Amino acid sequence: SQQSLRLHHENLLSTNRSSIFSGHHGQLSLTAVFLDEYRDRLFLGGKDILYSLLLGPASSESKEIYWPPLPGNREDCIQTGKEPQTECANFVRLLQPYNRTHLLACGTGAFQPMCAFISVGHRGEVRRCEDRQSNGRGKVPHDPSLPFASTFNGGELYAGLTADFLGRDSVIFRSMGGRSTMRTETDQKLLHDPKFIAAHLIPDNDDKDNDKVYFFFTEKASEPGDREGAIHTRVGRVCANDVGGQRVLVNKWSTFIKARLVCSVPGPHGIDTHFNQLEDVFLLRTKDERNPDVYAIFSTISNVFQGFAVCVYRMADIREAFNGPFAHKEGPDYQWGAFEGRVPYPRPGVCPSKITNQPGREFGSTKDFPDSVLQFARSHPLMWRPVYPALRQPVLVKTNIPYKLKQIVVDRVEAEDGQYDVMFIGTDVGTVLKVLALHSGNSLETEEVTLEELQVFKVRFTPSGVFFILSQALYVGSPAGVAQVKLHRCETYGKACAECCLARDPYCAWDGSLCARYTPNSKRRYRRQDIRHGNPVLQCVDQNLSEDIDMTEDKVVYGTENNSTFLECVPRSPQATVTWLVQRDDRKEEVRR
Ligand SMILES: *[C@@H]1O[C@H](CO)[C@@H](O)[C@H](O)[C@H]1NC(C)=O
Ligand SMILES: *[C@@H]1O[C@H](CO)[C@@H](O)[C@H](O)[C@H]1NC(C)=O
Ligand SMILES: *[C@@H]1O[C@H](CO)[C@@H](O)[C@H](O)[C@H]1NC(C)=O
Ligand SMILES: *[C@@H]1O[C@H](CO)[C@@H](O)[C@H](O)[C@H]1NC(C)=O
Ligand SMILES: *[C@@H]1O[C@H](CO)[C@@H](O)[C@H](O)[C@H]1NC(C)=O
């Protein structure tokens, strides 16, 4: 069987596995974070406040600045009927490094978004540049509860958001830097009530002209066979060097295209169960910066069924969908199909580069693109073929669980017998699940191994988007504060070789006397680890297997005849099975439901 641990809040704090920073004024109301690896600092944005923390034990020294809405804006906001506490404040939603000395910070400013430069001193002192406060429209949403996604690149900010007071103008914006502002046209074909989850710049090849910014979002579906109002998950992209058209699409994206991301499992009667709602995206970056693995959490929630799945996508499959046919519909009464006519040149979605800029066909900028290309791009933003996950199925599925999966980060760990992707999944009940998905042999089936379940926060909450790994620690944000949690604490698994082996934690190995951090390439003689099978008999045969391990815990409950007794046993491990036996005289019998 499998030994995995369920660790409680108090236990995590008392063993120094985790520490929590909650601000200096009670509730931190955390809404943004930026981790500065060079200065070893964590910058946190909250309600009317910004913190600068030294990394390390989270309670250590911190600096802060107060950053309220502009004079009068709080009152105006309350006047329009908004909630004074939860809406009419400056919720900092964006923190980005701007240059060596300054951060860019943007907040909701009581429904009047604003941005400011924050100077950071040598010892982490933060100061807001009073004279450089600017309008934050198109950079963060007005409403602190609305989702948005952004990425900062080459001095320019790419943001997917709603950019108006009512939260109806859904756009992908590019602002700042030297070039003129770019946006998507207002057209439901392009974006239909989108909810943006993530934005990332991912290069295509060595030519920077082919750099593309990818957006991961959900929107109302328009495709064939779908019920009215169905939600689909999309990956959309624009070229970083898109400057819009010359006569049409002036200052509007001319390279925007999108494809559906599918995450589904085969169901009974040949009908797949689709997980359509995107919850979070994590890019597992590798040495090859053009080909990160895209991990995504999806949900499907109905009255009868609540399920979650993690799917992993390869960039090659995403690019293939974008290189495939465009989705096309002849008219309102026609079926959707693949566009089979002639696609104009340069093909929509292709960035202007050396390839498109040839003698006789000089397309050095999107402003040179023929009107026919721009018209086609505008009328065919959706690709016909969807993107399927690697192996065509999720790596993890959870159904009918009493909590929601909300956030994911993945750490690729080197172990004795290869590499493992350890997933850390944040839930809405304050826990973090540390999970492995293993492929057993040649089969497509994945085996899910929950290594640990960490109760980082005591309360149920809506995650605040803070969820990342740095220096062997996971940072988890909640409205109540930010927790720093060590990725492993091998000694927690026990004092015996078998316990360490059964844990199947790629971070840990039995070193002959202890369950300790496994370090690849070290020359230690004893390094017992069996992630794939967790078989202690093979690994620990010479390691006092029998005497110091007892995997069962007994609990005795007395009952009265003809009366009821509540049988309760909350096991330490989420993988444990609980068996109740009733003893009458000398005989023990299992109690079945
Ligand atoms: C946790 O850290 C504190 C302060 O550094 C230290 O005094 C204490 O002994 C540590 N506890 C454990 C269990 O390591
Ligand atoms: C960084 O940007 C700020 C704001 O534009 C500017 O005042 C400052 O001089 C810049 N610093 C450097 C080192 O470029
Ligand atoms: C096994 O246990 C015995 C008795 O407790 C001890 O003498 C021996 O050194 C142990 N062997 C190992 C390999 O730990
Ligand atoms: C329990 O209930 C059974 C059947 O109703 C009865 O025969 C028996 O005497 C009861 N035992 C006690 C201890 O009340
Ligand atoms: C049954 O158990 C409950 C709770 O232990 C007790 O209050 C009650 O008196 C018992 N009834 C009988 C008939 O023994």
Side-chain angles (χ1 to χ4, degrees):
S1 74
Q2 148 81 35
Q3 198 207 12
S4 91
L5 295 178
R6 181 179 284 141
L7 294 170
H8 291 284
H9 186 68
E10 288 74 20
N11 180 283
L12 292 174
L13 291 175
S14 69
T15 56
N16 292 344
R17 176 83 183 266
S18 82
S19 55
I20 295 178
F21 176 78
S22 318
H24 301 146
H25 316 282
Q27 282 273 312
L28 176 62
S29 301
L30 184 68
T31 44
V33 72
F34 163 62
L35 178 93
D36 189 335
E37 293 183 52
Y38 299 102
R39 293 191 186 88
D40 254 355
R41 285 206 158 254
L42 196 57
F43 296 95
L44 304 175
K47 180 181 167 186
D48 297 331
I49 202 156
L50 214 146
Y51 285 101
S52 157
L53 296 187
L54 196 61
L55 280 182
S59 53
S60 66
E61 165 271 329
S62 75
K63 309 243 167 32
E64 65 181 79
I65 43 176
Y66 178 56
W67 188 23
L70 291 173
N73 287 359
R74 194 188 301 274
E75 294 70 22
D76 290 351
C77 176
I78 295 168
Q79 286 260 308
T80 62
K82 302 284 178 197
E83 189 55 46
Q85 289 305 316
T86 57
E87 295 184 307
C88 296
N90 183 33
F91 294 92
V92 179
R93 304 246 4 226
L94 184 143
L95 282 171
Q96 294 276 3
Y98 185 69
N99 59 24
R100 252 183 330 105
T101 53
H102 287 70
L103 299 181
L104 170 70
C106 300
T108 58
F111 269 76
Q112 308 226 28
M114 57 177 178
C115 294
F117 289 108
I118 310 286
S119 77
V120 184
H122 293 298
R123 281 180 300 280
E125 322 81 280
V126 275
R127 201 172 48 79
R128 185 159 44 86
C129 311
E130 291 290 346
D131 52 324
R132 299 290 307 275
Q133 204 135 271
S134 62
N135 195 331
R137 213 180 162 114
K139 300 186 180 79
V140 292
H142 292 57
D143 185 337
S145 70
L146 287 181
F148 90 112
S150 69
T151 180
F152 195 68
N153 217 276
E156 293 177 307
L157 183 72
Y158 295 81
L161 78 170
T162 51
D164 62 336
F165 183 88
L166 293 174
R168 289 190 189 147
D169 182 22
S170 298
V171 289
I172 291 174
F173 246 113
R174 183 178 68 204
S175 56
M176 309 189 60
R179 301 188 280 188
S180 56
T181 302
M182 291 284 293
R183 58 163 295 160
T184 29
E185 267 194 308
T186 307
D187 181 350
Q188 291 190 343
K189 247 197 222 131
L190 299 170
L191 296 169
H192 194 176
D193 288 347
K195 187 176 133 196
F196 289 96
I197 303 294
H200 295 282
L201 184 132
I202 304 171
D204 243 17
N205 47 36
D206 292 336
D207 185 356
K208 278 194 81 64
D209 276 335
N210 284 320
D211 284 0
K212 296 180 177 80
V213 179
Y214 289 81
F215 288 86
F216 297 89
F217 59 100
T218 59
E219 68 170 349
K220 290 216 178 102
S222 54
E223 289 107 304
D226 266 297
R227 316 172 259 115
E228 191 72 22
I231 300 292
H232 280 182
T233 289
R234 307 278 193 218
V235 52
R237 69 173 204 203
V238 292
C239 292
N241 64 3
D242 192 340
V243 289
Q246 186 69 35
R247 283 171 300 275
V248 267
L249 293 179
V250 177
N251 294 333
K252 308 252 170 70
W253 299 111
S254 62
T255 57
F256 177 72
I257 46 175
K258 61 184 180 182
R260 180 176 179 192
L261 282 182
V262 170
C263 183
S264 65
V265 289
H269 319 299
I271 299 165
D272 288 0
T273 299
H274 278 270
F275 299 85
N276 281 331
Q277 186 81 46
L278 183 65
E279 299 286 342
D280 195 24
V281 168
F282 177 76
L283 243 57
L284 181 62
R285 301 217 179 244
T286 58
K287 280 201 194 78
D288 178 5
E289 59 169 348
R290 294 164 299 180
N291 290 301
D293 284 340
V294 181
Y295 275 80
I297 299 184
F298 292 82
S299 66
T300 173
I301 296 167
S302 71
N303 295 334
V304 289
F305 181 72
Q306 166 172 303
F308 295 87
V310 175
C311 278
V312 187
Y313 301 90
R314 309 260 179 258
M315 283 309 295
D317 295 332
I318 292 177
R319 292 192 181 105
E320 194 178 298
F322 284 131
N323 291 336
F326 292 89
H328 178 73
K329 201 171 157 145
E330 205 62 51
D333 299 329
Y334 288 78
Q335 298 278 313
W336 281 92
F339 181 75
E340 280 164 357
R342 201 186 67 85
V343 176
Y345 183 88
R347 181 188 154 93
V350 166
C351 305
S353 70
K354 285 193 274 303
I355 311 282
T356 61
N357 197 12
Q358 301 283 344
R361 287 181 134 185
E362 284 153 28
F363 305 115
S365 148
T366 55
K367 285 204 159 95
D368 304 331
F369 283 3
D371 287 356
S372 60
V373 168
L374 304 182
Q375 300 291 9
F376 188 92
R378 176 190 236 173
S379 56
H380 295 86
L382 180 65
M383 306 316 297
W384 172 242
R385 290 200 196 113
V387 184
Y388 292 100
L391 301 177
R392 284 244 171 183
Q393 61 175 8
V395 293
L396 181 80
V397 175
K398 282 200 181 278
T399 53
N400 296 323
I401 45 172
Y403 51 83
K404 296 183 171 140
L405 306 187
K406 286 294 191 183
Q407 295 176 292
I408 184 166
V409 293
V410 181
D411 191 22
R412 189 158 281 174
V413 183
E414 206 70 53
E416 184 80 17
D417 58 352
Q419 277 185 338
Y420 292 91
D421 287 356
V422 181
M423 294 181 266
F424 291 87
I425 299 174
T427 71
D428 67 337
V429 291
T431 56
V432 171
L433 312 177
K434 179 172 158 187
V435 188
L436 274 185
L438 298 176
H439 294 284
S440 30
N442 298 328
S443 106
L444 283 179
E445 295 285 297
T446 53
E447 180 197 0
E448 170 203 332
V449 182
T450 302
L451 302 168
E452 293 188 286
E453 187 180 319
L454 311 169
Q455 184 78 46
V456 177
F457 292 104
K458 273 190 290 193
V459 290
R460 190 175 267 273
F461 63 88
T462 313
S464 56
V466 178
F467 206 67
F468 58 86
I469 289 177
L470 188 93
S471 319
Q472 299 292 309
L474 171 72
Y475 291 81
V476 189
S478 83
V482 58
Q484 185 199 47
V485 187
K486 295 191 184 96
L487 301 185
H488 48 80
R489 196 167 175 276
C490 299
E491 63 261 43
T492 321
Y493 290 120
K495 293 192 168 60
C497 177
E499 290 174 302
C500 192
C501 183
L502 281 169
R504 302 172 75 179
D505 189 328
Y507 291 110
C508 304
W510 180 253
D511 71 359
S513 56
L514 276 178
C515 194
R517 172 76 174 111
Y518 171 83
T519 37
N521 313 319
S522 70
K523 292 273 179 314
R524 301 194 71 139
R525 210 170 115 240
Y526 283 117
R527 292 194 312 165
R528 307 300 169 83
Q529 202 186 38
D530 185 10
I531 317 295
R532 213 153 274 287
H533 311 104
N535 186 346
V537 177
L538 283 176
Q539 295 294 316
C540 305
V541 63
D542 54 345
Q543 300 284 312
N544 277 352
L545 174 66
S546 53
E547 61 178 85
D548 51 8
I549 180 160
D550 181 4
M551 298 297 292
T552 61
E553 282 176 66
D554 283 351
K555 177 171 180 162
V556 180
V557 175
Y558 293 97
T560 316
E561 200 176 335
N562 291 357
N563 203 347
S564 62
T565 301
F566 180 50
L567 300 183
E568 186 183 36
C569 175
V570 183
R572 212 157 67 104
S573 157
Q575 243 82 44
T577 51
V578 177
T579 309
W580 287 98
L581 304 169
V582 62
Q583 179 164 0
R584 291 194 189 87
D585 308 322
D586 292 340
R587 275 189 316 125
K588 273 189 188 171
E589 264 175 60
E590 190 173 344
V591 181
R592 302 197 178 272
R593 286 186 191 219

